[in-house]
Amino acid sequence: MNQLFTPIRLGRCTLSNRLVMAPMTRSRAQVDGTPGELAAEYYAQRASIGLIVAEGVQPSDDGQGYLTTPGIYTDAHVAGWRKTTSAVHDKGGHLFIQLMHAGRMSHPDNTPHHRQGVAPSAIAPGSEIFTATGMQPIPVPRALSTAEVRQTVADFRLAARRAMEAGADGVEIHGANAYLIQQFFAPSANTRTDAYGGSIENRARFAIEVASAIAEEIGADRTAIRLSPGTAMWGIDEGAEGPALYRYLVAELGKLGLAYLHIMHLGNEPLLAEIRQSWKQTLIVNRPGRPREQIGSDVASGLADLEAYGQTVLANPDFVARLKSDAALNDADSSTFFGGTAQGYTDYPALSQAG
Ligand SMILES: Cc1cc2nc3c(=O)[nH]c(=O)nc-3n(C[C@H](O)[C@H](O)[C@H](O)COP(=O)(O)O)c2cc1C
């Protein structure tokens, strides 16, 4: 585990350890998408972790899926995020903003313009989503025109520029967990007949164009991407060709010289090992629900350069100090994950505060 506590160079940053806070939506932003009052404190509390990947942030009105998630496309959003990046930097930390376009995982009640969600194809995910009036079925989305797909790439590019204006150290493109980019990957969600559907190359095209545009705009060394090969929820089925798509995608992304690839690992060990071989830049691995005794094992085995943790960091602002001193960990309270105030957000005790 000691290797976890050694510094590592990542893009333009030198991180003090190899632990990463995985991106986590907390739905505590203001209604206009400006980060909430407590966001800076929440992230600054966790600044001792090598890298913070801030929660999914929409690059446009269309990109919003859930209630009160933050955006990064207006002056107010930029000013709000600047408070967080400054607070994290003041404590010696580093922060990438995750750019998340929810695509069809959305509801008109949750977006500022209340329009139908957009997606590669007009196929509903067959699931429900939380809205202000409770859980509701997700309606059939509207298929983006080819011109709109290109406009969406431009929206990502502009959002990345604005994240730099807000002082972020980089951006992580959300290509995982059944949101827009993964919707393009999956034949179950993408039946397009233009250059963005059909073959593996076409289904991977949108992700590659987004990554290329952002890398060109802010520098490849400040651009990263998260993928979750094999997602099988919310109507996503990548089919038998899934692993082949990821082999192609990772090879193409590898040509861009990105800051890192972040794999949310769902269990395909041979594919993860192949990705490790073909990806020559920094690799972050997140294994959902990893037991404590296995913390550090992927860095120790050389499978990953850094390890990401979600719920444990949410509940332990001083996760690094607790690991170093082998101290007990607070449990995360899932009832306060989304929405609400300081409870379950900024009030998890650090060791120094524990009774
Ligand atoms: C409350 C909550 C919100 C999440 N929001 C996001 C998100 O915005 N973007 C993302 O890529 N993953 C999101 N995830 C997934 C986490 O990043 C992580 O992959 C997952 O929690 C598994 O890791 P863990 O067992 O260490 O928590 C979220 C998870 C939780 C618990």
Side-chain angles (χ1 to χ4, degrees):
M1 186 183 303
N2 286 344
Q3 280 164 284
L4 286 179
F5 308 126
T6 56
I8 184 168
R9 186 95 190 143
L10 180 128
R12 299 182 193 182
C13 315
T14 301
L15 311 182
S16 55
N17 56 67
R18 290 154 190 254
L19 291 157
V20 177
M21 177 178 179
M24 282 174 289
T25 293
R26 305 304 310 270
S27 288
R28 283 166 166 86
Q30 298 171 32
V31 279
D32 72 346
T34 302
E37 286 298 314
L38 295 171
E41 183 184 344
Y42 166 68
Y43 284 114
Q45 285 174 343
R46 288 156 180 78
S48 60
I49 197 145
L51 178 69
I52 292 170
V53 185
E55 65 210 84
V57 173
Q58 58 267 12
S60 63
D61 285 352
D62 277 351
Q64 185 167 357
Y66 299 101
L67 282 171
T68 54
T69 53
I72 187 74
Y73 53 96
T74 72
D75 290 344
H77 299 162
V78 171
W81 276 107
R82 187 172 285 285
K83 291 182 195 166
T84 290
T85 59
S86 299
V88 168
H89 290 154
D90 284 351
K91 291 184 113 191
H94 293 96
L95 181 142
F96 273 45
I97 288 177
Q98 189 187 49
L99 298 181
M100 166 174 167
H101 191 307
R104 67 184 188 173
M105 294 307 300
S106 177
H107 194 284
D109 287 0
N110 289 356
T111 53
H113 53 32
H114 302 305
R115 289 193 215 127
Q116 191 180 14
V118 295
S121 300
I123 304 170
S127 53
E128 296 189 323
I129 195 163
F130 185 74
T131 69
T133 54
M135 295 302 284
Q136 294 193 54
I138 296 182
V140 175
R142 184 175 67 78
L144 291 163
S145 69
T146 305
E148 286 174 321
V149 174
R150 299 203 177 110
Q151 179 56 48
T152 308
V153 174
D155 290 345
F156 269 99
R157 176 196 281 263
L158 186 61
R161 165 60 44 207
R162 306 241 60 188
M164 296 303 100
E165 288 168 24
D169 295 295
V171 298
E172 178 184 281
I173 301 158
H174 195 345
N177 300 353
Y179 297 110
L180 182 67
I181 289 177
Q182 198 172 26
Q183 290 160 28
F184 274 91
F185 298 156
S188 64
N190 180 358
T191 55
R192 300 179 72 91
T193 53
D194 64 2
Y196 296 95
S199 65
I200 282 176
E201 290 78 1
N202 283 359
R203 282 181 280 127
R205 189 180 309 281
F206 179 64
I208 295 165
E209 286 187 1
V210 169
S212 304
I214 293 178
E216 187 181 281
E217 185 71 25
I218 65 169
D221 56 355
R222 297 197 290 191
T223 306
I225 189 162
R226 187 176 215 212
L227 302 172
S228 58
T231 293
M233 61 176 184
W234 300 335
I236 292 297
D237 180 354
E238 294 175 329
E241 277 189 343
L245 180 139
Y246 284 98
R247 277 183 215 111
Y248 169 77
L249 177 64
V250 168
E252 290 300 306
L253 293 171
K255 297 175 186 167
L256 301 178
L258 304 184
Y260 67 83
L261 168 63
H262 184 175
I263 298 287
M264 182 185 172
H265 181 54
L266 297 172
N268 188 335
E269 298 296 341
L271 181 61
L272 181 59
E274 275 185 63
I275 289 172
R276 178 58 170 175
Q277 288 305 316
S278 68
W279 182 257
K280 303 301 177 205
Q281 292 103 30
T282 304
L283 183 67
I284 303 178
V285 172
N286 166 239
R287 287 181 190 257
R290 187 201 293 264
R292 179 166 183 163
E293 61 276 14
Q294 287 176 21
I295 293 177
S297 61
D298 286 334
V299 167
S301 73
L303 189 64
D305 300 298
L306 299 101
E307 296 179 8
Y309 293 88
Q311 297 191 34
T312 324
V313 181
L314 182 155
N316 294 277
D318 55 347
F319 181 55
V320 178
R322 284 175 190 258
L323 287 185
K324 279 184 178 168
S325 61
D326 204 20
L329 296 169
N330 302 319
D331 289 328
D333 171 12
S334 60
S335 71
T336 52
F337 278 174
F338 306 109
T341 56
Q343 196 197 345
Y345 192 45
T346 49
D347 68 349
Y348 282 104
L351 278 178
S352 53
Q353 299 163 284

PDB file of all heavy atoms in Angstrom, residues 184-187 190-206 241 244-245 248:
ATOM      1  N   PHE A 184     -23.834   6.215 -27.627  1.00  0.00           N
ATOM      2  CA  PHE A 184     -23.325   6.067 -28.991  1.00  0.00           C
ATOM      3  C   PHE A 184     -22.640   4.714 -29.191  1.00  0.00           C
ATOM      4  O   PHE A 184     -22.705   4.124 -30.272  1.00  0.00           O
ATOM      5  CB  PHE A 184     -22.354   7.204 -29.342  1.00  0.00           C
ATOM      6  CG  PHE A 184     -23.044   8.443 -29.867  1.00  0.00           C
ATOM      7  CD1 PHE A 184     -23.433   9.453 -29.011  1.00  0.00           C
ATOM      8  CD2 PHE A 184     -23.316   8.577 -31.221  1.00  0.00           C
ATOM      9  CE1 PHE A 184     -24.080  10.587 -29.492  1.00  0.00           C
ATOM     10  CE2 PHE A 184     -23.961   9.698 -31.719  1.00  0.00           C
ATOM     11  CZ  PHE A 184     -24.346  10.719 -30.853  1.00  0.00           C
ATOM     12  N   PHE A 185     -21.967   4.197 -28.134  1.00  0.00           N
ATOM     13  CA  PHE A 185     -21.239   2.926 -28.280  1.00  0.00           C
ATOM     14  C   PHE A 185     -22.180   1.736 -28.490  1.00  0.00           C
ATOM     15  O   PHE A 185     -21.825   0.769 -29.156  1.00  0.00           O
ATOM     16  CB  PHE A 185     -20.404   2.613 -27.024  1.00  0.00           C
ATOM     17  CG  PHE A 185     -19.335   3.605 -26.688  1.00  0.00           C
ATOM     18  CD1 PHE A 185     -18.869   3.726 -25.374  1.00  0.00           C
ATOM     19  CD2 PHE A 185     -18.770   4.420 -27.659  1.00  0.00           C
ATOM     20  CE1 PHE A 185     -17.873   4.622 -25.042  1.00  0.00           C
ATOM     21  CE2 PHE A 185     -17.770   5.330 -27.337  1.00  0.00           C
ATOM     22  CZ  PHE A 185     -17.320   5.431 -26.017  1.00  0.00           C
ATOM     23  N   ALA A 186     -23.359   1.791 -27.836  1.00  0.00           N
ATOM     24  CA  ALA A 186     -24.200   0.589 -27.701  1.00  0.00           C
ATOM     25  C   ALA A 186     -25.204   0.455 -28.840  1.00  0.00           C
ATOM     26  O   ALA A 186     -26.055   1.333 -29.035  1.00  0.00           O
ATOM     27  CB  ALA A 186     -24.937   0.641 -26.362  1.00  0.00           C
ATOM     28  N   PRO A 187     -25.160  -0.658 -29.573  1.00  0.00           N
ATOM     29  CA  PRO A 187     -26.162  -0.864 -30.629  1.00  0.00           C
ATOM     30  C   PRO A 187     -27.596  -0.816 -30.086  1.00  0.00           C
ATOM     31  O   PRO A 187     -28.525  -0.488 -30.828  1.00  0.00           O
ATOM     32  CB  PRO A 187     -25.842  -2.260 -31.166  1.00  0.00           C
ATOM     33  CG  PRO A 187     -24.430  -2.523 -30.773  1.00  0.00           C
ATOM     34  CD  PRO A 187     -24.197  -1.767 -29.501  1.00  0.00           C
ATOM     35  N   ASN A 190     -28.099   2.963 -30.187  1.00  0.00           N
ATOM     36  CA  ASN A 190     -27.634   3.684 -31.370  1.00  0.00           C
ATOM     37  C   ASN A 190     -27.927   2.872 -32.622  1.00  0.00           C
ATOM     38  O   ASN A 190     -27.246   1.880 -32.915  1.00  0.00           O
ATOM     39  CB  ASN A 190     -26.128   3.954 -31.251  1.00  0.00           C
ATOM     40  CG  ASN A 190     -25.559   4.696 -32.451  1.00  0.00           C
ATOM     41  OD1 ASN A 190     -26.273   4.984 -33.408  1.00  0.00           O
ATOM     42  ND2 ASN A 190     -24.270   4.997 -32.384  1.00  0.00           N
ATOM     43  N   THR A 191     -28.975   3.296 -33.358  1.00  0.00           N
ATOM     44  CA  THR A 191     -29.306   2.625 -34.630  1.00  0.00           C
ATOM     45  C   THR A 191     -29.123   3.606 -35.793  1.00  0.00           C
ATOM     46  O   THR A 191     -29.771   3.485 -36.825  1.00  0.00           O
ATOM     47  CB  THR A 191     -30.760   2.096 -34.600  1.00  0.00           C
ATOM     48  OG1 THR A 191     -31.642   3.196 -34.290  1.00  0.00           O
ATOM     49  CG2 THR A 191     -30.933   1.016 -33.555  1.00  0.00           C
ATOM     50  N   ARG A 192     -28.247   4.583 -35.606  1.00  0.00           N
ATOM     51  CA  ARG A 192     -28.024   5.613 -36.628  1.00  0.00           C
ATOM     52  C   ARG A 192     -27.462   5.002 -37.912  1.00  0.00           C
ATOM     53  O   ARG A 192     -26.760   3.985 -37.879  1.00  0.00           O
ATOM     54  CB  ARG A 192     -27.024   6.665 -36.122  1.00  0.00           C
ATOM     55  CG  ARG A 192     -27.455   7.398 -34.880  1.00  0.00           C
ATOM     56  CD  ARG A 192     -26.397   8.394 -34.460  1.00  0.00           C
ATOM     57  NE  ARG A 192     -26.349   9.531 -35.372  1.00  0.00           N
ATOM     58  CZ  ARG A 192     -27.050  10.639 -35.200  1.00  0.00           C
ATOM     59  NH1 ARG A 192     -27.849  10.780 -34.150  1.00  0.00           N
ATOM     60  NH2 ARG A 192     -26.955  11.625 -36.069  1.00  0.00           N
ATOM     61  N   THR A 193     -27.742   5.688 -39.007  1.00  0.00           N
ATOM     62  CA  THR A 193     -27.219   5.227 -40.289  1.00  0.00           C
ATOM     63  C   THR A 193     -26.228   6.234 -40.879  1.00  0.00           C
ATOM     64  O   THR A 193     -25.768   6.076 -42.004  1.00  0.00           O
ATOM     65  CB  THR A 193     -28.367   5.008 -41.293  1.00  0.00           C
ATOM     66  OG1 THR A 193     -29.154   6.196 -41.350  1.00  0.00           O
ATOM     67  CG2 THR A 193     -29.241   3.837 -40.872  1.00  0.00           C
ATOM     68  N   ASP A 194     -25.900   7.298 -40.094  1.00  0.00           N
ATOM     69  CA  ASP A 194     -24.897   8.252 -40.593  1.00  0.00           C
ATOM     70  C   ASP A 194     -23.509   7.833 -40.096  1.00  0.00           C
ATOM     71  O   ASP A 194     -23.304   6.680 -39.692  1.00  0.00           O
ATOM     72  CB  ASP A 194     -25.255   9.700 -40.168  1.00  0.00           C
ATOM     73  CG  ASP A 194     -25.234   9.885 -38.647  1.00  0.00           C
ATOM     74  OD1 ASP A 194     -24.900   8.916 -37.921  1.00  0.00           O
ATOM     75  OD2 ASP A 194     -25.537  11.004 -38.191  1.00  0.00           O
ATOM     76  N   ALA A 195     -22.560   8.745 -40.069  1.00  0.00           N
ATOM     77  CA  ALA A 195     -21.172   8.405 -39.711  1.00  0.00           C
ATOM     78  C   ALA A 195     -21.008   8.095 -38.227  1.00  0.00           C
ATOM     79  O   ALA A 195     -19.908   7.727 -37.791  1.00  0.00           O
ATOM     80  CB  ALA A 195     -20.245   9.560 -40.103  1.00  0.00           C
ATOM     81  N   TYR A 196     -22.073   8.244 -37.426  1.00  0.00           N
ATOM     82  CA  TYR A 196     -21.990   8.022 -35.978  1.00  0.00           C
ATOM     83  C   TYR A 196     -22.703   6.744 -35.535  1.00  0.00           C
ATOM     84  O   TYR A 196     -22.915   6.533 -34.339  1.00  0.00           O
ATOM     85  CB  TYR A 196     -22.559   9.234 -35.226  1.00  0.00           C
ATOM     86  CG  TYR A 196     -21.742  10.488 -35.484  1.00  0.00           C
ATOM     87  CD1 TYR A 196     -22.109  11.391 -36.493  1.00  0.00           C
ATOM     88  CD2 TYR A 196     -20.603  10.762 -34.742  1.00  0.00           C
ATOM     89  CE1 TYR A 196     -21.350  12.537 -36.740  1.00  0.00           C
ATOM     90  CE2 TYR A 196     -19.844  11.898 -34.981  1.00  0.00           C
ATOM     91  CZ  TYR A 196     -20.224  12.775 -35.982  1.00  0.00           C
ATOM     92  OH  TYR A 196     -19.471  13.895 -36.221  1.00  0.00           O
ATOM     93  N   GLY A 197     -23.094   5.894 -36.488  1.00  0.00           N
ATOM     94  CA  GLY A 197     -23.766   4.645 -36.119  1.00  0.00           C
ATOM     95  C   GLY A 197     -23.351   3.518 -37.049  1.00  0.00           C
ATOM     96  O   GLY A 197     -22.777   3.760 -38.114  1.00  0.00           O
ATOM     97  N   GLY A 198     -23.622   2.297 -36.609  1.00  0.00           N
ATOM     98  CA  GLY A 198     -23.302   1.146 -37.458  1.00  0.00           C
ATOM     99  C   GLY A 198     -22.024   0.465 -37.024  1.00  0.00           C
ATOM    100  O   GLY A 198     -21.998  -0.228 -36.000  1.00  0.00           O
ATOM    101  N   SER A 199     -20.935   0.676 -37.749  1.00  0.00           N
ATOM    102  CA  SER A 199     -19.672  -0.021 -37.459  1.00  0.00           C
ATOM    103  C   SER A 199     -19.082   0.434 -36.122  1.00  0.00           C
ATOM    104  O   SER A 199     -19.454   1.477 -35.569  1.00  0.00           O
ATOM    105  CB  SER A 199     -18.656   0.288 -38.562  1.00  0.00           C
ATOM    106  OG  SER A 199     -18.341   1.672 -38.534  1.00  0.00           O
ATOM    107  N   ILE A 200     -18.139  -0.331 -35.621  1.00  0.00           N
ATOM    108  CA  ILE A 200     -17.414   0.036 -34.398  1.00  0.00           C
ATOM    109  C   ILE A 200     -16.788   1.425 -34.563  1.00  0.00           C
ATOM    110  O   ILE A 200     -16.893   2.281 -33.681  1.00  0.00           O
ATOM    111  CB  ILE A 200     -16.336  -1.029 -34.101  1.00  0.00           C
ATOM    112  CG1 ILE A 200     -16.993  -2.261 -33.474  1.00  0.00           C
ATOM    113  CG2 ILE A 200     -15.242  -0.468 -33.195  1.00  0.00           C
ATOM    114  CD1 ILE A 200     -16.031  -3.410 -33.223  1.00  0.00           C
ATOM    115  N   GLU A 201     -16.151   1.643 -35.713  1.00  0.00           N
ATOM    116  CA  GLU A 201     -15.496   2.935 -35.960  1.00  0.00           C
ATOM    117  C   GLU A 201     -16.512   4.076 -35.863  1.00  0.00           C
ATOM    118  O   GLU A 201     -16.224   5.128 -35.294  1.00  0.00           O
ATOM    119  CB  GLU A 201     -14.834   2.958 -37.348  1.00  0.00           C
ATOM    120  CG  GLU A 201     -13.619   2.060 -37.483  1.00  0.00           C
ATOM    121  CD  GLU A 201     -13.968   0.582 -37.665  1.00  0.00           C
ATOM    122  OE1 GLU A 201     -15.177   0.232 -37.710  1.00  0.00           O
ATOM    123  OE2 GLU A 201     -13.035  -0.238 -37.729  1.00  0.00           O
ATOM    124  N   ASN A 202     -17.696   3.853 -36.414  1.00  0.00           N
ATOM    125  CA  ASN A 202     -18.713   4.910 -36.393  1.00  0.00           C
ATOM    126  C   ASN A 202     -19.273   5.139 -34.995  1.00  0.00           C
ATOM    127  O   ASN A 202     -19.505   6.278 -34.589  1.00  0.00           O
ATOM    128  CB  ASN A 202     -19.857   4.565 -37.359  1.00  0.00           C
ATOM    129  CG  ASN A 202     -19.476   4.828 -38.802  1.00  0.00           C
ATOM    130  OD1 ASN A 202     -18.360   5.287 -39.083  1.00  0.00           O
ATOM    131  ND2 ASN A 202     -20.384   4.549 -39.711  1.00  0.00           N
ATOM    132  N   ARG A 203     -19.485   4.059 -34.243  1.00  0.00           N
ATOM    133  CA  ARG A 203     -20.053   4.226 -32.893  1.00  0.00           C
ATOM    134  C   ARG A 203     -19.049   4.851 -31.932  1.00  0.00           C
ATOM    135  O   ARG A 203     -19.431   5.483 -30.950  1.00  0.00           O
ATOM    136  CB  ARG A 203     -20.569   2.880 -32.371  1.00  0.00           C
ATOM    137  CG  ARG A 203     -21.914   2.502 -32.982  1.00  0.00           C
ATOM    138  CD  ARG A 203     -22.449   1.193 -32.453  1.00  0.00           C
ATOM    139  NE  ARG A 203     -21.828   0.046 -33.098  1.00  0.00           N
ATOM    140  CZ  ARG A 203     -21.244  -0.957 -32.462  1.00  0.00           C
ATOM    141  NH1 ARG A 203     -21.209  -0.972 -31.146  1.00  0.00           N
ATOM    142  NH2 ARG A 203     -20.707  -1.954 -33.126  1.00  0.00           N
ATOM    143  N   ALA A 204     -17.753   4.663 -32.223  1.00  0.00           N
ATOM    144  CA  ALA A 204     -16.717   5.262 -31.374  1.00  0.00           C
ATOM    145  C   ALA A 204     -16.411   6.714 -31.787  1.00  0.00           C
ATOM    146  O   ALA A 204     -15.744   7.439 -31.052  1.00  0.00           O
ATOM    147  CB  ALA A 204     -15.437   4.431 -31.448  1.00  0.00           C
ATOM    148  N   ARG A 205     -16.901   7.109 -32.959  1.00  0.00           N
ATOM    149  CA  ARG A 205     -16.500   8.401 -33.543  1.00  0.00           C
ATOM    150  C   ARG A 205     -16.822   9.595 -32.645  1.00  0.00           C
ATOM    151  O   ARG A 205     -16.011  10.507 -32.479  1.00  0.00           O
ATOM    152  CB  ARG A 205     -17.183   8.579 -34.907  1.00  0.00           C
ATOM    153  CG  ARG A 205     -16.673   9.790 -35.702  1.00  0.00           C
ATOM    154  CD  ARG A 205     -17.378   9.913 -37.056  1.00  0.00           C
ATOM    155  NE  ARG A 205     -17.384   8.688 -37.838  1.00  0.00           N
ATOM    156  CZ  ARG A 205     -16.356   8.230 -38.549  1.00  0.00           C
ATOM    157  NH1 ARG A 205     -15.238   8.916 -38.583  1.00  0.00           N
ATOM    158  NH2 ARG A 205     -16.461   7.107 -39.215  1.00  0.00           N
ATOM    159  N   PHE A 206     -18.027   9.592 -32.048  1.00  0.00           N
ATOM    160  CA  PHE A 206     -18.419  10.760 -31.240  1.00  0.00           C
ATOM    161  C   PHE A 206     -17.443  10.953 -30.075  1.00  0.00           C
ATOM    162  O   PHE A 206     -16.949  12.064 -29.837  1.00  0.00           O
ATOM    163  CB  PHE A 206     -19.859  10.576 -30.736  1.00  0.00           C
ATOM    164  CG  PHE A 206     -20.348  11.703 -29.867  1.00  0.00           C
ATOM    165  CD1 PHE A 206     -20.491  12.983 -30.379  1.00  0.00           C
ATOM    166  CD2 PHE A 206     -20.661  11.486 -28.525  1.00  0.00           C
ATOM    167  CE1 PHE A 206     -20.931  14.037 -29.571  1.00  0.00           C
ATOM    168  CE2 PHE A 206     -21.107  12.515 -27.724  1.00  0.00           C
ATOM    169  CZ  PHE A 206     -21.242  13.799 -28.243  1.00  0.00           C
ATOM    170  N   GLU A 241     -19.765  -7.396 -29.721  1.00  0.00           N
ATOM    171  CA  GLU A 241     -18.663  -6.570 -30.245  1.00  0.00           C
ATOM    172  C   GLU A 241     -18.115  -5.588 -29.215  1.00  0.00           C
ATOM    173  O   GLU A 241     -17.181  -4.842 -29.521  1.00  0.00           O
ATOM    174  CB  GLU A 241     -19.154  -5.752 -31.435  1.00  0.00           C
ATOM    175  CG  GLU A 241     -19.145  -6.485 -32.743  1.00  0.00           C
ATOM    176  CD  GLU A 241     -19.437  -5.518 -33.896  1.00  0.00           C
ATOM    177  OE1 GLU A 241     -19.945  -4.409 -33.664  1.00  0.00           O
ATOM    178  OE2 GLU A 241     -19.151  -5.901 -35.022  1.00  0.00           O
ATOM    179  N   ALA A 244     -14.355  -5.454 -28.599  1.00  0.00           N
ATOM    180  CA  ALA A 244     -13.651  -4.996 -29.808  1.00  0.00           C
ATOM    181  C   ALA A 244     -13.783  -3.478 -29.963  1.00  0.00           C
ATOM    182  O   ALA A 244     -12.839  -2.796 -30.378  1.00  0.00           O
ATOM    183  CB  ALA A 244     -14.204  -5.716 -31.035  1.00  0.00           C
ATOM    184  N   LEU A 245     -14.970  -2.959 -29.611  1.00  0.00           N
ATOM    185  CA  LEU A 245     -15.142  -1.496 -29.685  1.00  0.00           C
ATOM    186  C   LEU A 245     -14.157  -0.809 -28.752  1.00  0.00           C
ATOM    187  O   LEU A 245     -13.490   0.174 -29.119  1.00  0.00           O
ATOM    188  CB  LEU A 245     -16.581  -1.103 -29.324  1.00  0.00           C
ATOM    189  CG  LEU A 245     -16.860   0.397 -29.373  1.00  0.00           C
ATOM    190  CD1 LEU A 245     -18.223   0.706 -29.984  1.00  0.00           C
ATOM    191  CD2 LEU A 245     -16.759   1.061 -28.001  1.00  0.00           C
ATOM    192  N   TYR A 248     -10.553  -0.818 -30.058  1.00  0.00           N
ATOM    193  CA  TYR A 248     -10.375   0.201 -31.091  1.00  0.00           C
ATOM    194  C   TYR A 248     -10.348   1.600 -30.465  1.00  0.00           C
ATOM    195  O   TYR A 248      -9.462   2.414 -30.756  1.00  0.00           O
ATOM    196  CB  TYR A 248     -11.530   0.086 -32.112  1.00  0.00           C
ATOM    197  CG  TYR A 248     -11.586   1.253 -33.062  1.00  0.00           C
ATOM    198  CD1 TYR A 248     -10.680   1.350 -34.125  1.00  0.00           C
ATOM    199  CD2 TYR A 248     -12.515   2.272 -32.889  1.00  0.00           C
ATOM    200  CE1 TYR A 248     -10.708   2.432 -34.985  1.00  0.00           C
ATOM    201  CE2 TYR A 248     -12.554   3.361 -33.750  1.00  0.00           C
ATOM    202  CZ  TYR A 248     -11.641   3.442 -34.792  1.00  0.00           C
ATOM    203  OH  TYR A 248     -11.670   4.523 -35.638  1.00  0.00           O
TER     204      TYR A 248
END
